Amino acid sequence: MPAKTGAEYKRRLKEAGNNVYIHGERVDDPTEHPAFKNVIDSMAALYDRQFDKPSKMLYQSPTTNEQVGMTFKQPKTLEDLVARREAIQEWARISGGMMGRSPDYLNAEVMAMGVANDLFAEDDPMFAENARNYYEYARENDISLTHTLIHPQVNRAKAQSEQKDANVALHLKEKQKDGIIVDGVRLLATQGGITDEILVFPSTVKPAGESDDPYSLAFVVPNNTPGLKFLSRESFDQNKSTWDHPLSSRFEEGDAIVHFDNVFVPWEKVFVCGNSSICNRTFLETNAVKHMSHQVIAKNVVKTEFILGTVLKLMDSIGIDKFQHVQDKGTEIMLNLETMKSHLFRAEQNAKLDKWGTITPDFEALNAARNWYPRIYPRMTEIIRILGASGLMGIPTEADFDHEEIGPILNRGLQAKNLEGYERVHLFRLAWDMTMSAFGNRQTHYEYYFFGDPIKMGMSYFDSFEKDQYKQYVDDFLAETKKNKNFAGV
Ligand SMILES: Cc1cc2nc3c(=O)[nH]c(=O)nc-3n(C[C@H](O)[C@H](O)[C@H](O)COP(=O)(O)OP(=O)(O)OC[C@H]3O[C@@H](n4cnc5c(N)ncnc54)[C@H](O)[C@@H]3O)c2cc1C
């Protein structure tokens, strides 16, 4: 089965019978459940887009010659890399970048680890073979994935092995002839309830010591594996109309705690087994972080375009666009957009072939962009809040506008410079849902913590930044001034 349609995506979810819980009950069929059905429809629309625009979204599989998803492609030339990015942005435009976990994100990880897998072979060549095979399987079957990287927030001052109950976090319980038994809890699988399989990988920013080897695992299992449960947080999709909740009624991806109750993982689905050293190096040494960052920055360019468009329309609508501080705030977002686009351009133009024959974007540009976006995203939502002011609370629903008596009052009373009240409130509801609804607030939280704790990311950025050349520059400058004690500026 090559690239799949939306109908096929939904059929698989229906048949899988994944163990998903929400609001205190087990979900029978996520495709019909009010917490999941709308976002499942949006995911289905992404998969259908593959067939609406096949030349952009699909390519010929190197092994089966079937048409498979472009975002699985191992880029071997700059043209391939750009084509991948265009497919990523095609998908991102459907949600204005509000679906952070459209399938391309983890397709990038699976591709990178499937190709650059030598690291996994350090323990056993079988693990590298497994990564290679999984890439092919995921690509040829268009598998949708969630992932989980983080141990539960019990006591962050201690290693997992030192916790008061050292068996809470997911750990290796037993090695058997055919596979391993794992048990415990992991956080936080976005789209946990609405995907085919789950990747369990180490954190990208929390290195583990040897005492945490039993917690240092990487594997993949289908979401309906016996013993696996997805414990979803409350849904932010309130099943209101798309007019009332333009974003949360369509793109609420959901986040789930994942419980593994003595889950059996066959050896062929294991990539790392009880080795903290390999886990700590996984994302960097497979280049996965580079390809995943490329996807994220491409998506964030689209998201920033969507935010900018919303802000500009909001300013126009209430006639504040000529005020100095308002323009300055619009400029902040424009500068963010242009800077993100420049990072992306530099990352692609400086891409190099790695030793596995993959054209790999320049990580210096991507690393700067991925460290910067969590710092600017909360400010962009603050700008919307500041400029929208009371308009973000004066947002009656569509039903109010439809009401015979109060509808006309609202339509007149909430009119804008060039818009009827109905049109203005529609726009302001979008701005509210982007930033202030439960959905909008989650977006801000999501962007802040997306790649891991931004403070820790900033620390490792500082540590790994090549600083000597800049210090040397100043040393040379100072040396010059020592030689010319009487330098008079001529
Ligand atoms: C909306 C959302 C969706 C997510 N989706 C996923 C997903 O799909 N898959 C997945 O695996 N993860 C997901 N995550 C989890 C995300 O990766 C983590 O939130 C992120 O890595 C931070 O880890 P933490 O939440 O455990 O924070 P913690 O590590 O518990 O940090 C909490 C606070 O304590 C501080 N702190 C902790 N330890 C230290 C220390 N040693 N020194 C100094 N300060 C410290 C941090 O700076 C932070 O302010 C998601 C998170 C959010 C918010």
Side-chain angles (χ1 to χ4, degrees):
M1 164 67 62
K4 69 185 177 206
T5 60
E8 172 63 13
Y9 159 72
K10 286 166 83 167
R11 186 190 64 74
R12 279 192 214 170
L13 269 186
K14 219 180 206 355
E15 288 176 7
N18 300 336
N19 238 340
V20 180
Y21 292 78
I22 194 164
H23 307 155
E25 52 183 41
R26 188 178 180 282
V27 174
D28 268 346
D29 175 0
T31 66
E32 298 292 338
H33 193 282
F36 300 106
K37 67 178 171 41
N38 293 329
V39 68
I40 286 174
D41 283 343
S42 295
M43 282 285 280
L46 298 184
Y47 284 114
D48 281 338
R49 183 59 61 93
Q50 300 193 118
F51 296 90
D52 298 340
K53 294 198 174 176
S55 61
K56 192 176 225 184
M57 302 303 293
L58 300 175
Y59 76 108
Q60 193 176 35
S61 158
T63 52
T64 61
N65 292 336
E66 298 264 28
Q67 292 292 297
V68 292
M70 178 66 84
T71 63
F72 279 111
K73 187 171 189 172
Q74 176 194 2
K76 294 184 175 172
T77 61
L78 178 58
E79 288 70 36
D80 287 346
L81 191 67
V82 170
R84 273 186 106 246
R85 190 248 301 150
E86 285 177 352
I88 289 164
Q89 292 189 320
E90 178 72 30
W91 265 349
R93 274 189 204 98
I94 292 177
S95 67
M98 297 284 154
M99 284 182 85
R101 297 304 167 83
S102 50
D104 39 329
Y105 174 60
L106 290 172
N107 293 357
E109 174 174 347
V110 166
M111 179 278 292
M113 292 187 183
V115 174
N117 45 45
D118 312 5
L119 173 71
F120 301 139
E122 279 183 18
D123 260 354
D124 189 319
M126 160 183 80
F127 294 134
E129 186 66 25
N130 292 348
R132 198 159 33 244
N133 290 340
Y134 190 74
Y135 166 42
E136 194 166 329
Y137 162 78
R139 180 187 70 211
E140 300 302 321
N141 294 281
D142 215 354
I143 298 295
S144 60
L145 287 155
T146 180
H147 76 158
T148 175
L149 314 175
I150 303 293
H151 299 306
Q153 259 182 334
V154 180
N155 182 347
R156 287 289 188 246
K158 290 185 185 294
Q160 294 313 307
S161 55
E162 298 164 347
Q163 300 286 331
K164 66 179 189 292
D165 179 351
N167 290 328
V168 171
L170 179 74
H171 57 282
L172 178 66
K173 206 159 165 193
E174 201 184 324
K175 288 186 189 176
Q176 298 181 341
K177 189 165 160 286
D178 300 332
I180 56 175
I181 303 287
V182 296
D183 191 80
V185 171
R186 271 289 180 107
L187 309 178
L188 179 71
T190 297
Q191 287 207 358
I194 63 165
T195 39
D196 297 324
E197 306 207 353
I198 181 164
L199 288 165
V200 176
F201 267 88
S203 157
T204 49
V205 291
K206 295 181 184 184
E210 269 179 35
S211 67
D212 275 355
D213 275 352
Y215 307 87
S216 302
L217 301 162
F219 61 85
V220 63
V221 283
N223 286 345
N224 61 1
T225 299
L228 190 57
K229 284 190 187 69
F230 292 90
L231 314 174
S232 316
R233 67 154 165 77
E234 177 184 4
S235 173
F236 299 152
D237 178 353
Q238 295 173 31
N239 286 284
K240 295 280 177 61
S241 77
T242 50
W243 192 93
D244 285 344
H245 289 194
L247 300 173
S248 39
S249 67
R250 299 173 66 200
F251 308 123
E252 152 60 335
E253 295 179 292
D255 304 296
I257 294 150
V258 192
H259 182 228
F260 296 78
D261 180 6
N262 288 296
V263 167
F264 172 74
V265 186
W267 280 119
E268 56 271 22
K269 292 296 167 72
V270 179
F271 313 119
V272 185
C273 182
N275 188 323
S276 54
S277 163
I278 297 179
C279 274
N280 293 342
R281 291 175 286 138
T282 290
F283 282 94
L284 218 49
E285 290 193 17
T286 59
N287 280 341
V289 71
K290 299 178 187 169
H291 293 286
M292 294 166 89
S293 299
H294 183 236
Q295 184 276 343
V296 170
I297 306 312
K299 182 267 291 176
N300 287 348
V301 164
V302 172
K303 193 166 188 170
T304 311
E305 287 172 348
F306 191 45
I307 292 171
L308 177 62
T310 305
V311 169
L312 293 175
K313 282 195 66 71
L314 187 149
M315 290 178 188
D316 280 354
S317 73
I318 54 171
I320 57 173
D321 51 318
K322 298 286 182 289
F323 298 133
Q324 202 177 27
H325 86 92
V326 174
Q327 290 191 345
D328 191 54
K329 290 182 172 67
T331 300
E332 265 188 64
I333 300 178
M334 290 166 183
L335 295 176
N336 290 343
L337 174 61
E338 292 303 315
T339 309
M340 291 299 284
K341 279 159 79 173
S342 300
H343 282 306
L344 189 58
F345 184 76
R346 177 179 153 209
E348 290 175 358
Q349 296 305 313
N350 288 348
K352 292 203 171 55
L353 266 190
D354 66 14
K355 63 179 176 179
W356 299 280
T358 308
I359 192 99
T360 304
D362 173 12
F363 193 52
E364 274 187 28
L366 295 176
N367 203 16
R370 81 185 184 122
N371 270 277
W372 190 58
Y373 205 68
R375 297 167 191 238
I376 59 168
Y377 193 87
R379 172 64 180 158
M380 292 196 285
T381 63
E382 185 188 28
I383 288 174
I384 293 186
R385 197 171 53 72
I386 292 170
L387 300 185
S390 64
L392 294 169
M393 289 294 111
I395 47 170
T397 63
E398 193 172 25
D400 295 312
F401 281 96
D402 286 344
H403 190 272
E404 202 182 337
E405 190 183 340
I406 64 169
I409 302 173
L410 292 171
N411 203 35
R412 180 164 173 239
L414 296 180
Q415 66 183 282
K417 197 175 76 177
N418 297 314
L419 298 175
E420 295 292 315
Y422 178 80
E423 294 166 319
R424 190 189 85 132
V425 172
H426 194 197
L427 171 65
F428 273 68
R429 288 198 77 94
L430 171 65
W432 162 81
D433 211 9
M434 196 178 273
T435 55
M436 294 179 73
S437 66
F439 176 91
N441 267 302
R442 177 194 175 275
Q443 288 290 324
T444 308
H445 202 46
Y446 177 86
E447 291 301 348
Y448 186 78
Y449 274 116
F450 174 69
F451 261 114
D453 175 13
I455 307 278
K456 275 197 196 149
M457 281 176 59
M459 284 163 62
S460 61
Y461 186 86
F462 186 88
D463 282 343
S464 64
F465 194 87
E466 188 43 72
K467 299 182 262 308
D468 288 349
Q469 55 181 311
Y470 304 105
K471 294 197 273 189
Q472 188 62 50
Y473 176 32
V474 173
D475 283 344
D476 293 347
F477 187 91
L478 289 176
E480 278 296 312
T481 56
K482 249 188 229 165
K483 265 189 267 162
N484 297 300
K485 283 203 183 86
N486 299 322
F487 181 70
V490 281

